[in-house]
Structures are given as C-alpha cells and as structure tokens.
Amino acid sequence: MVYFYIRAHCLAQQHEWKKEYEDIIALKKDIFNHFQIYNINEESSLIVYYDDKEKCDRILDNLDILPKDNITLFNVYVKRIWACCGICFSPFDIIPDRLPLECTEKICNVQYCVKCIDMICELNKNHKFTCMFCNKTDDRPQRNILLENIFLWKPYTMRYGAHSTERMETIFNGPNLSDAIHRIENRRTHIQTLQTTLKMRLSTVTDTNYYSDKSKYYLIAAEQLSGKLETFIRRLRTCERNIKSQSVTFRTLVNNYRKLLRDSICQKSSKQEAASFILVCEKLSASDYETIERMMSMNEQVIITESNFISMYNANKLKDISLKESIACVNDILEDINYRRNILQEKQQQVTELYLNSINHPFHTYYVQQYQIATTMITSLDEYETEFIRFRNIYNEIGNIMHEYKDELTKKTLDDTSNEYTSLPTSEQMSTFQCSRLILISELLRSETDRIEIETIFPRITKQIQQWKQNQVNDPKIYDLFATLEQDLLSLYDRNQSLLHLIPFRVGFIGNISVGKSSLVNYLRIQNSISTSTNRTLSPTAVGQSTVGSLQFDEQHLCSNTQTIVTIRYVDIEGCADFNTKVQAASYFEQIQKADCDLYIILYTGQQVSFERKLEKEIKERLNRPCWYVRSKVDKEFEEHFNEQITRRKLDYPDITIEDNEENELAEQVIEMIREKAIELCQTSSDKVFLINSLYSNMEENNIEKINSKTHPFDIYLLSQQLINAAQQSYALERIKRMAAMICARIIGTYFRRRYITSFISHEFLAGVSAIIVPWGDQIALAHTRFGIRTALGVQDRLSLYNHLLKKVDEFESLLLKYPLNMDSNDLKSDAFNYLKTTDSSTMINTINNKNEYSETIYLGREPKTDSSIATKLSSAMPTGVVTCGLVGKKIAAATLAISSLSYSVGVGFLGLGIVAAIPIGLWASKTSGKEIRNYLDNLCADLLIISEHFIVAIINQQELNRERS
C-alpha cells in the first residue's frame, strides 16, 4: 500500500489527511464521510480532480493519477448539481435559464442559475461577476459540462426511455418494427399533449403578454418536431405494409433458399447444406467417361458429404446465415447467391465450349441434362435474388428513416445569438444523449405551461413583476408583493372573476410497467365527461412500456350529486421498469415528484407490493399527498378462484344444480375475498383500494344477469365517481397555497435577494465599510442602519418613535395585522416584526369544518405550534453544524431546500412538503464575516419567507370560514 497526501474540498469546507489506500473505493468512502453533513454519496455526487492541461474536471476513478511520494498534496473536489441557485433559489434544470453555472474559484464552486448571472453581468458596466461567497471577481461563472451530463441529461434520458432509439440491429422484423413505430407514435403523442396543454392555458387568458415570443417559439419548434415524427411514422408504416405484402416472410424466404440449394435435385432429403448445389456442380465438372460413369452410379450421399466438396463450395457457410431480419443478413445472402450463380455459369460455359457444341459427342445427352438442371437452379437463384433485393430496399429505407429519426431527436433545437455565453446544450451534448431534442422541447413546453398557469392564477403579482422589470429607478417594496398577493387570493373567491375552475384536480397514475395505467386513464377520461369530442388524444397503450415521461390530459366531468362541473387532470406517468436499483427507483420518484399531483393512484397486479408500498411511503412523507391503490387485471385471479369454487361445488354435490343467482352470490363472495386480501396486502383502509378488470365493460352493474370475469365491472364505476367527488374537495385550495408560497419565495429570492447583489455590484463601497453589501440603489446612505434596510425593503415607512407619537401604523404592518398570523415567538429572528409574535398557543388553533382526510397539508396559523410549524420543520431538516449563524441560518437553509424541491413543478412549495435535506444551500446565511448589517438583512429576508406562508394560509382560511358562514 502507498500513502497519499489528500486535500478534499466540498463547497467552502476542506479536509486534509495522509493515509494509505489499496483502492479508490476506500478513498471515496473517506471523502464522503468527511462531508456527511451535505448528505452526499456516490450516487448523488462525483469526486473529481482538475486537469490543468485540459482545463476541466476529470472523474477520479483510480489511484494512478495520485502522487505516490507522500509529500505532494493532491486536491480533489466533491461535485454535484446542488439543489438550487445560490441567489434566487430557483432549481437547476436543462432549461437554458435554469442551467447551473459554477464559480470559477476551485475551492468555492458555488452554483448560480444562468438567469441571475445574465442579469448581474448586464447591470455591471464591465460585465464582471463577483461571487457573493468567495468574493472572487471574474468574467462570469462557467458551465460544468461533466456535471450537466451526469446529473441533468443522463437522468432525463432514463426518464424519457431514450435507449429505445438505439435498437437498430433488431428493428427490421415485424414485431420490432411495429414496436418502433409505436414508440415514435408515443413520442409524437407526448409532444402533442404538451402542445395542447400549453395552448389550452394560453386560451384561458386574454392578455397578449402571456403569449410571449418564447411560447410561440416553443410551439413552433414542437409543431415542427411533431410534423417530422408524423412523417417518420407514415414512411415506416409504408415499409411495414410492403413487408407484409411480400408473398413470403423474410425468414421463410431464407429457409426456402437454403432448401433450394439442399434438396432441389437430391433424390433423398439431406441434412447437408447446399447438397443439391454440390451435386450439380460436380456432375457438370465430370470431363471423361470414367468420371461420368462414376457420377451416374455412385450414391449421391457419398458425393455431397465429401469434405473436399463441402469446403470447395462453401456449403457450411449457409449455416452461418442468420434468420434475423437485417441488412447485413440480406447482403450476406445476396453475396452467396452471386457466388453460387457465378460458379454454375462458369461450369455451364466450360460444358458448352467442350461438349455441347458437338451434337455427336458421346456425352452430349448427359451434359444437356446437367446444363438444364444448372439453368433451372440459376433461374431460381435469380428469382430469390429479386425477392431478397426487395427486402434489402425496404430494410435500407427503414434504416435511413431511423437514422433520420435519431438525427432529428439529437440535433440542436434552438439558436441563441443574444450573447456569447450561450446556455443551450452543446452540439456534443445533443448528439451524445438520445432524444435530446425531444427532451429539451418537452421540458421547455412544460416550463412555459407552468409559468402561464401561475401567472394566470396570480395576475396582479405578474403585473407587479412586469412593472418592477420596466422601472429600474424605484426599488421593489415588500408591501407591494404582499398587497398584490392578497388581492389575487381574494379574487379567487370573487364569483364574478373566480379562477378556481382553472386549477384542475391532478391525479397521477403510477406503478410498474404493463399494469394497465394508460388503459385506465383512457377509460376514466370518458366516464361522465361533458365533452362530446370523439377525437381525443389517447394515452398510448402497449404490452410493455407504452408511456415515456408523463402525459397530461384535462377532462371536465359532471358530478351527478351536485350537478357541478369539475376539471380533472389525468397524469399518465411512465411505468418503472427496474425498481430493484436505487438509481432507477430514485429517478422514478423524481418523475412522480415532477408530476406534482394532488392524488396518486398506485396500480399493481401481483401478490407483492413492496415497491408500491415504498412509493406510498415516499409520497406521503416527502410530498404529503394521499395515495389510492388499484388492483388491476383482477379478472384473472377472479376466474381462477371462481372456477375452483364451482368445480369443488360440483364434485361435492354432483346432484345439485347451481342456479345463476347462486353463481352470482358465489362471485360476489370471491370478489370480497380478493378485496380483503388486497386491503391486507396494501395495509390501508378499504375506501382506498379498488379492483378493476382487464377489459372495462360498458354494461351497467345493475343490468348484469350473470356475473363472470368479463361482465363484472368490479370497482371501475366506483373509482370514477370517487375521483369526481374528490375533485370537489379542498385540493384546489391546497394547490393554491403551495403555488402562492412558491411564487413568494421566488420573488423574495429574485427581486429582493438578487437585487441587493446587483446593487452591490452597481455601487462602490463606502470607505471603512467595504465588507457591507449595500442594497437598494438610491438609498445607499440608509444602508448603515437597520432602519435604512427596513425602509429600503419596504418593511417600515417611518421611524417607530414617529409612528408612536403620531399614532400611525406602517403600511406593511397594517396589512399583516389584518389577519391572525399567529406567529410563534421563536419563528422570527429579526426585530422588525415583534408586533406579530405571540406566545399564547390558545390563539393559534383554528379549525375548518370541511377539512377532508386527504388534506394532510400543514395548516399554518390554525394548528398547534408544537412540532407542526413550518419553521420547526424547516429547521429540523437542516443538518447540524453546517452553518454558524444559529437557528435562523438553519431555517433559511432548510427553507431553501424546500424551494429546491420545486425542480420539476410549480406546486411543491413549503406547504405540504416533507423535506429531505439534500444540500444546505444555507450559504445565504452561512457566510458570516462578522458584518452585522449583512446578517440583519439575511434575517429580515428569512423572516419574510416564513411570514409569507402564514399570510397565505390566514387569507385562505378566513375566506373559507366566510364562505361557510354564508
């Protein structure tokens, strides 16, 4: 063993040690152990070293690169895509604006989103960027392609089933070609569904600002891709039709060709390849009377099994010809046909020159006969050649189409000439990752849809943001944010302009592949739907995996009980193909989290639900959403048990005839037995378990005269009705709370947090206070005092003494005091909001009568503050020892984690989120350089995050109470 001198870095921390290692595994283990507080491991992180020659990171995968002199220090770095931007809290993604950029200081490596960097560099005259954590000034943070590939692109290609485009070698047989066409159709359906969803969102708004250039550009790109996919499908269908129209299949044609060469002139069937070909060639080769006599009298089996002849005529080569449909196989056969035809023609030419020109030749008749046999075989070879050329042409066309298809899915999607620092995927990335274009367009469409959905629900906040963007002179005020938020929330309850109907009840369908998710989605969409359209875009179905990513379908249903119309968004999430690996299971849960549903329906078919139970546990703990179970394809189990009971009854009582009503009663008993088993297996209540058939019957349950596995509807109608009923409950309010909390957090991070950084860059430091980050542009003189910071933010209008003497109240304080926020005294750390603090827990409990059992979201402001406040939950999620500024630092860091969970959707805000800490981006508060003003500003912003949640919940709760009373 060799001693190595190691210094490991992770964000701002580093550890240095000397130790001997036998392999890289032990070294990696030690490195990860040193940084346990960051919750990193080999699956979520990389250990790299910096290659000075290539100027890039390299993965450390062996010990050979390390100096072995026990003196030279070797630096290694723990890298990953962290949870969110260090400035605005936005999650990182492959979307250009959300791409992570790393600080160029190797011992820092804090990551920022492209949007923040572009804004800061644009405002800075020299286009330089100063890292807010290491204070290094450079051109701008840089992309890390290695991290992008491993932690962004690779997971996406897994979720989108990109590997399916690589199976060129098996594409040409009937079933595989059909599957390939089906996969392309699935991708076309996927992109069309996202297009439709975005267009539907755009159709609900009248303000043309929503229909941005980006929306148009993305829709055009999606339309072009969809059109290309449609062309590929049509061309492949033509090829498939041409293959089916051939007189014989390819494999039959190959076997017939081998049979021609083996059995066409042999008197008896032979197992020797090319037996007839050998025989006719040798008979044509006979050049004297003795040889001809021997050929005519010798047993043909002796001739065709002669090893010299087998070798001479490459007979055994036919054994190597594969029956697998491929261009290579066709070319091998065509080459073989040409080889054997040339041999026959050469021998015919020799016979013609030597013997056939003379009618009086003693062997004339013999040679004429052999010549004719050879001519017949050559004619057959020509016919086979024509048939195989047809297949080759078809296969070449299929190959060309598939190559065009793969190129179309991997070519660059968008052109960015706005600045030299493009954040689009590189050409190498696009070509490396299959389906990269499809993935990027899909995520851009999804992101744009989410943006419009939020801006539609919160139009006043959206307008306020536009004003802030256009007016760079007047700084944003926190009062404006909270006031517009209040107006947007109140308008949701205004009957004249309510937007609640625009918020669909989202139901996600998850489980293993081939459990019937897509079929169930298609059926439930039709039940009680008010739409009369017969041209619905259906979720694709197939044996095996039929859905890639997730497909969303909005349907409006009529509730029979209340005669009200509800909108349900059915989210068909791809099946998990291999949930035995941690990586696959983690990727699948990310897909579930990305779908951001209000209810998840878990489908299963077998007797084991360990994976499904894990899914339910993760969904409840991390997303705080309810789950239902659906035992699909139950008719097969029903049939077995029912037939067993009938057979047993006939054996036990052969003299008693079983009436239809008795069979029906027995069938119900069998169903009840299966149901009890399913409830026990899923370990949940009976109202959360449903049984469904493989094929859904159109018969009404009460019209069934005789029950069997094909006619019994099981619980399909009940499931449909329960979903419609659930859509009328308070799920929309829960979603609004999450969306509002998320948009507030983003705005505080972006228009307040980020703005003070731009102010810092745009203004020079005052003498003697160079370490103080100065916010708020034109109010620099006030930044030296806490009062100055409060007034700059808009938290306070006037001095407290002035308010006290004149009995005035600041605007922001007046707004917050309109609602019972019930803030715990430990929640807030700054001195700006003492008027909100209370220690009387009895004032913090407030109940809502219509709370349903599935609404498990944390109700801030009306639940006991013991272990249930969001601040406590956020604090507890933070690993201890990460930050050095006390509870508030932990709270900010954990709050950031909560926002980071929004990576895949808009609705997973603080509310209802069980947080699993991935990385303490508590860097906001962790860089404590002893500067009181900076820390005070951090505390203020942290308090605003917490207050915003209480404010949102208090408004919605009050409106719900008002609605109940009215």
Side-chain angles (χ1 to χ4, degrees):
M1 290 193 296
V2 180
Y3 276 88
F4 298 101
Y5 188 13
I6 305 294
R7 179 189 290 156
H9 305 263
C10 186
L11 291 180
Q13 292 195 1
Q14 66 181 36
H15 290 276
E16 191 174 308
W17 70 93
K18 291 183 179 181
K19 189 176 179 180
E20 57 180 1
Y21 292 101
E22 290 183 340
D23 52 44
I24 193 66
I25 297 174
L27 174 58
K28 286 183 177 181
K29 184 178 179 181
D30 281 352
I31 293 173
F32 288 129
N33 286 338
H34 279 302
F35 301 108
Q36 284 182 345
I37 57 173
Y38 293 121
N39 289 332
I40 57 176
N41 53 50
E42 194 164 0
E43 293 175 356
S44 65
S45 311
L46 292 178
I47 297 176
V48 304
Y49 65 94
Y50 188 74
D51 188 331
D52 289 312
K53 184 180 293 185
E54 298 295 331
K55 304 298 181 183
C56 65
D57 287 336
R58 300 287 187 189
I59 297 177
L60 182 64
D61 51 10
N62 61 71
L63 299 178
D64 295 339
I65 191 67
L66 273 67
K68 300 178 175 59
D69 56 10
N70 196 21
I71 298 174
T72 305
L73 180 66
F74 189 79
N75 287 289
V76 297
Y77 307 88
V78 179
K79 295 287 191 76
R80 61 166 291 180
I81 300 290
W82 299 108
C84 59
C85 173
I87 297 175
C88 70
F89 307 141
S90 294
F92 296 122
D93 209 335
I94 60 172
I95 297 171
D97 281 350
R98 298 185 191 172
L99 207 65
L101 301 180
E102 272 189 345
C103 173
T104 55
E105 179 60 47
K106 292 194 288 292
I107 62 172
C108 178
N109 288 323
V110 170
Q111 294 167 347
Y112 307 92
C113 71
V114 168
K115 194 168 186 178
C116 284
I117 300 302
D118 286 345
M119 177 180 287
I120 292 172
C121 290
E122 182 181 353
L123 291 173
N124 192 10
K125 294 179 181 180
N126 61 8
H127 297 286
K128 297 289 184 180
F129 176 82
T130 300
C131 178
M132 57 182 293
F133 301 111
C134 70
N135 290 329
K136 178 180 179 179
T137 299
D138 204 343
D139 289 339
R140 60 188 281 131
Q142 300 295 312
R143 294 175 62 176
N144 190 318
I145 300 298
L146 176 64
L147 297 185
E148 288 179 25
N149 291 346
I150 294 177
F151 295 116
L152 291 179
W153 278 105
K154 188 176 180 180
Y156 267 114
T157 55
M158 291 173 60
R159 290 180 215 135
Y160 275 79
H163 60 280
S164 62
T165 61
E166 299 174 356
R167 301 169 184 167
M168 293 291 293
E169 69 280 359
T170 61
I171 196 69
F172 302 103
N173 73 19
N176 286 349
L177 177 58
S178 179
D179 286 346
I181 296 173
H182 187 73
R183 285 195 296 271
I184 299 175
E185 288 175 334
N186 290 353
R187 301 185 192 285
R188 180 199 58 189
T189 301
H190 181 87
I191 210 77
Q192 288 177 341
T193 302
L194 292 171
Q195 281 180 273
T196 302
T197 304
L198 177 54
K199 289 178 180 178
M200 286 179 61
R201 284 290 167 222
L202 289 170
S203 68
T204 61
V205 296
T206 56
D207 191 344
T208 55
N209 289 331
Y210 289 105
Y211 209 90
S212 66
D213 291 338
K214 285 186 177 181
S215 297
K216 297 176 184 177
Y217 196 26
Y218 299 159
L219 286 172
I220 291 173
E223 190 66 37
Q224 291 174 345
L225 178 58
S226 179
K228 285 284 188 179
L229 295 180
E230 180 61 41
T231 301
F232 295 141
I233 293 168
R234 185 170 59 252
R235 290 169 62 188
L236 287 174
R237 287 291 183 198
T238 301
C239 292
E240 186 180 38
R241 188 178 297 109
N242 290 338
I243 290 175
K244 293 181 182 299
S245 66
Q246 299 302 308
S247 56
V248 293
T249 66
F250 178 79
R251 298 192 180 203
T252 300
L253 189 64
V254 173
N255 286 329
N256 289 345
Y257 171 66
R258 293 171 67 177
K259 187 176 181 180
L260 166 72
L261 298 178
R262 185 181 63 242
D263 301 333
S264 58
I265 66 170
C266 289
Q267 296 178 356
K268 294 182 180 180
S269 297
S270 174
K271 294 183 179 180
Q272 174 58 49
E273 293 287 351
S276 293
F277 179 79
I278 293 173
L279 196 60
V280 69
C281 287
E282 283 305 302
K283 287 186 176 181
L284 281 172
S285 300
S287 57
D288 53 62
Y289 180 79
E290 181 180 350
T291 305
I292 293 174
E293 285 292 330
R294 189 171 68 253
M295 284 291 175
M296 297 178 63
S297 61
M298 185 183 297
N299 186 333
E300 63 182 24
Q301 290 296 322
V302 176
I303 300 174
I304 62 180
T305 56
E306 172 62 42
S307 59
N308 289 335
F309 296 156
I310 293 173
S311 175
M312 182 187 303
Y313 298 113
N314 287 330
N316 287 335
K317 180 183 177 182
L318 294 170
K319 292 181 179 179
D320 299 329
I321 293 179
S322 171
L323 292 177
K324 187 166 80 173
E325 295 88 341
S326 67
I327 296 175
C329 180
V330 175
N331 287 335
D332 288 343
I333 294 174
L334 289 173
E335 181 182 348
D336 189 76
I337 289 174
N338 189 57
Y339 163 75
R340 299 189 188 283
R341 180 173 51 205
N342 288 340
I343 291 177
L344 290 175
Q345 288 174 343
E346 288 176 3
K347 293 188 178 296
Q348 280 186 317
Q349 182 68 25
Q350 293 174 359
V351 168
T352 300
E353 293 175 354
L354 295 176
Y355 310 113
L356 296 186
N357 290 333
S358 174
I359 299 178
N360 298 323
H361 194 283
F363 306 126
H364 180 78
T365 303
Y366 170 83
Y367 284 118
V368 168
Q369 182 182 11
Q370 301 308 316
Y371 188 93
Q372 290 175 345
I373 292 173
T375 300
T376 302
M377 183 170 285
I378 289 173
T379 301
S380 297
L381 290 176
D382 290 342
E383 292 173 353
Y384 276 105
E385 184 181 49
T386 301
E387 293 292 327
F388 280 116
I389 287 175
R390 287 199 190 102
F391 275 101
R392 183 176 66 179
N393 291 339
I394 296 172
Y395 291 168
N396 279 330
E397 176 64 8
I398 293 172
N400 292 336
I401 295 170
M402 292 306 295
H403 282 298
E404 290 177 33
Y405 167 61
K406 292 178 68 175
D407 290 342
E408 185 66 28
L409 293 187
T410 55
K411 73 180 184 182
K412 292 206 72 169
T413 311
L414 307 169
D415 295 323
D416 185 5
T417 58
S418 58
N419 62 69
E420 58 181 310
Y421 303 105
T422 178
S423 55
L424 291 168
T426 65
S427 299
E428 184 178 355
Q429 284 177 311
M430 296 296 287
S431 61
T432 299
F433 295 101
Q434 299 296 325
C435 294
S436 52
R437 186 179 184 216
L438 173 78
I439 293 170
L440 184 57
I441 291 178
S442 297
E443 294 308 309
L444 289 170
L445 289 173
R446 197 189 309 277
S447 174
E448 191 69 3
T449 301
D450 290 344
R451 179 189 68 82
I452 293 171
E453 187 172 74
I454 290 180
E455 293 180 356
T456 304
I457 302 301
F458 301 99
R460 293 169 182 82
I461 289 182
T462 302
K463 187 176 181 180
Q464 182 68 70
I465 293 174
Q466 293 297 328
Q467 291 175 354
W468 286 342
K469 286 181 178 179
Q470 295 168 6
N471 187 353
Q472 296 292 333
V473 177
N474 297 321
D475 294 311
K477 302 294 183 181
I478 197 66
Y479 170 83
D480 297 330
L481 171 61
F482 277 65
T484 52
L485 173 63
E486 178 194 32
Q487 294 174 30
D488 279 335
L489 292 175
L490 292 178
S491 69
L492 294 175
Y493 290 87
D494 186 342
R495 295 181 180 179
N496 296 324
Q497 55 176 343
S498 176
L499 299 173
L500 284 176
H501 67 282
L502 296 178
I503 305 175
F505 174 51
R506 300 171 65 105
V507 184
F509 295 78
I510 58 178
N512 201 352
I513 60 172
S514 298
V515 293
K517 296 183 295 297
S518 299
S519 299
L520 179 58
V521 166
N522 290 336
Y523 183 82
L524 291 174
R525 288 173 59 196
I526 300 172
Q527 291 300 301
N528 299 308
S529 175
I530 65 173
S531 173
T532 58
S533 174
T534 58
N535 296 321
R536 284 183 175 87
T537 300
L538 297 179
S539 190
T541 59
V543 177
Q545 187 171 9
S546 63
T547 304
V548 293
S550 65
L551 298 177
Q552 301 182 1
F553 307 93
D554 285 5
E555 290 287 347
Q556 289 187 317
H557 299 274
L558 179 65
C559 181
S560 56
N561 297 333
T562 61
Q563 295 301 304
T564 57
I565 295 176
V566 297
T567 301
I568 299 179
R569 177 170 295 173
Y570 297 91
V571 185
D572 185 7
I573 302 171
E574 67 173 299
C576 186
D578 183 14
F579 48 78
N580 292 320
T581 65
K582 289 183 179 180
V583 174
Q584 185 67 30
S587 178
Y588 190 57
F589 185 78
E590 285 183 357
Q591 186 73 5
I592 292 172
Q593 179 175 317
K594 177 181 179 180
D596 183 33
C597 296
D598 302 298
L599 168 69
Y600 289 93
I601 293 181
I602 304 174
L603 281 80
Y604 74 99
T605 58
Q607 301 301 316
Q608 298 293 328
V609 292
S610 57
F611 172 66
E612 289 79 2
R613 290 287 311 284
K614 289 178 182 178
L615 282 181
E616 180 191 22
K617 184 174 183 291
E618 289 291 305
I619 290 169
K620 285 188 173 182
E621 290 183 357
R622 296 176 59 181
L623 303 182
N624 205 7
R625 314 293 166 80
C627 297
W628 293 354
Y629 282 95
V630 168
R631 169 65 163 92
S632 62
K633 304 180 182 180
V634 73
D635 49 305
K636 298 177 181 179
E637 183 178 355
F638 169 84
E639 195 77 31
E640 292 177 2
H641 288 294
F642 182 74
N643 290 337
E644 180 184 0
Q645 293 294 330
I646 291 293
T647 302
R648 187 181 301 169
R649 173 72 179 273
K650 289 179 178 180
L651 290 175
D652 292 342
Y653 306 101
D655 56 326
I656 301 178
T657 303
I658 304 177
E659 301 294 337
D660 287 350
N661 63 333
E662 290 182 281
E663 284 196 14
N664 290 346
E665 183 178 345
L666 179 60
E668 293 294 349
Q669 291 172 351
V670 171
I671 292 172
E672 191 60 31
M673 178 190 69
I674 297 173
R675 190 187 309 282
E676 291 174 357
K677 187 193 302 182
I679 294 171
E680 181 180 0
L681 191 65
C682 298
Q683 297 184 20
T684 188
S685 58
S686 59
D687 60 333
K688 297 180 183 178
V689 177
F690 301 86
L691 310 179
I692 62 172
N693 206 330
S694 294
L695 301 173
Y696 312 117
S697 172
N698 291 323
M699 299 176 61
E700 294 294 335
E701 187 172 3
N702 54 10
N703 291 334
I704 298 174
E705 296 181 359
K706 185 174 181 179
I707 295 176
N708 59 51
S709 62
K710 295 181 180 179
T711 62
H712 199 291
F714 295 93
D715 298 331
I716 187 65
Y717 301 119
L718 176 63
L719 175 60
S720 175
Q721 194 58 50
Q722 290 290 77
L723 285 177
I724 294 173
N725 292 339
Q728 299 179 89
Q729 298 173 7
S730 59
Y731 290 101
L733 300 180
E734 300 305 308
R735 179 166 294 280
I736 291 170
K737 293 175 186 177
R738 294 194 298 269
M739 292 170 67
M742 182 276 293
I743 196 171
C744 275
R746 290 276 179 86
I747 292 173
I748 290 171
T750 303
Y751 288 92
F752 293 90
R753 173 80 172 137
R754 180 160 64 195
R755 196 174 181 89
Y756 88 73
I757 297 175
T758 59
S759 295
F760 160 62
I761 294 174
S762 302
H763 300 84
E764 295 182 354
F765 290 152
L766 296 179
V769 289
S770 59
I772 301 175
I773 295 181
V774 183
W776 325 124
D778 58 342
Q779 303 186 53
I780 288 180
L782 298 176
H784 300 289
T785 66
R786 297 187 177 195
F787 171 70
I789 292 178
R790 292 197 296 270
T791 54
L793 277 168
V795 170
Q796 190 173 342
D797 301 331
R798 297 167 293 272
L799 287 169
S800 299
L801 179 60
Y802 181 86
N803 285 339
H804 178 71
L805 293 175
L806 299 183
K807 296 183 179 181
K808 291 183 177 294
V809 179
D810 291 323
E811 276 189 316
F812 190 53
E813 179 180 348
S814 177
L815 176 63
L816 296 181
L817 290 176
K818 287 172 60 176
Y819 301 97
L821 302 188
N822 301 328
M823 303 297 299
D824 189 287
S825 59
N826 295 320
D827 279 354
L828 305 177
K829 293 302 172 183
S830 72
D831 59 359
F833 306 105
N834 290 330
Y835 55 84
L836 296 178
K837 297 179 181 179
T838 179
T839 57
D840 185 3
S841 61
S842 63
T843 65
M844 301 176 188
I845 303 176
N846 207 347
T847 57
I848 294 294
N849 294 330
N850 67 348
K851 179 181 175 182
N852 62 77
E853 65 180 296
Y854 303 116
S855 299
E856 301 173 2
T857 300
I858 301 168
Y859 284 77
L860 296 178
R862 55 182 163 88
E863 290 232 356
K865 303 303 282 188
T866 54
D867 299 328
S868 64
S869 77
I870 192 67
T872 303
K873 289 186 176 294
L874 293 179
S875 304
S876 63
M878 186 65 185
T880 57
V882 178
V883 293
T884 59
C885 55
L887 176 61
V888 66
K890 297 179 182 179
K891 180 168 37 177
I892 298 166
T896 309
L897 290 177
I899 301 170
S900 72
S901 298
L902 297 164
S903 301
Y904 302 108
S905 186
V906 301
V908 192
F910 299 159
L911 289 160
L913 177 64
I915 299 168
V916 177
I919 167 64
I921 302 292
L923 295 174
W924 178 357
S926 69
K927 190 180 187 306
T928 55
S929 57
K931 301 300 180 287
E932 182 182 356
I933 299 301
R934 165 63 185 273
N935 291 339
Y936 184 70
L937 176 61
D938 289 339
N939 288 344
L940 268 179
C941 290
D943 286 352
L944 289 173
L945 289 177
I946 302 299
I947 292 171
S948 67
E949 296 218 27
H950 287 261
F951 186 70
I952 292 163
V953 175
I955 294 174
I956 293 177
N957 289 351
Q958 187 176 91
Q959 296 306 305
E960 285 293 293
L961 285 171
N962 293 341
R963 188 168 64 174
E964 284 185 1
R965 290 166 183 165
S966 61

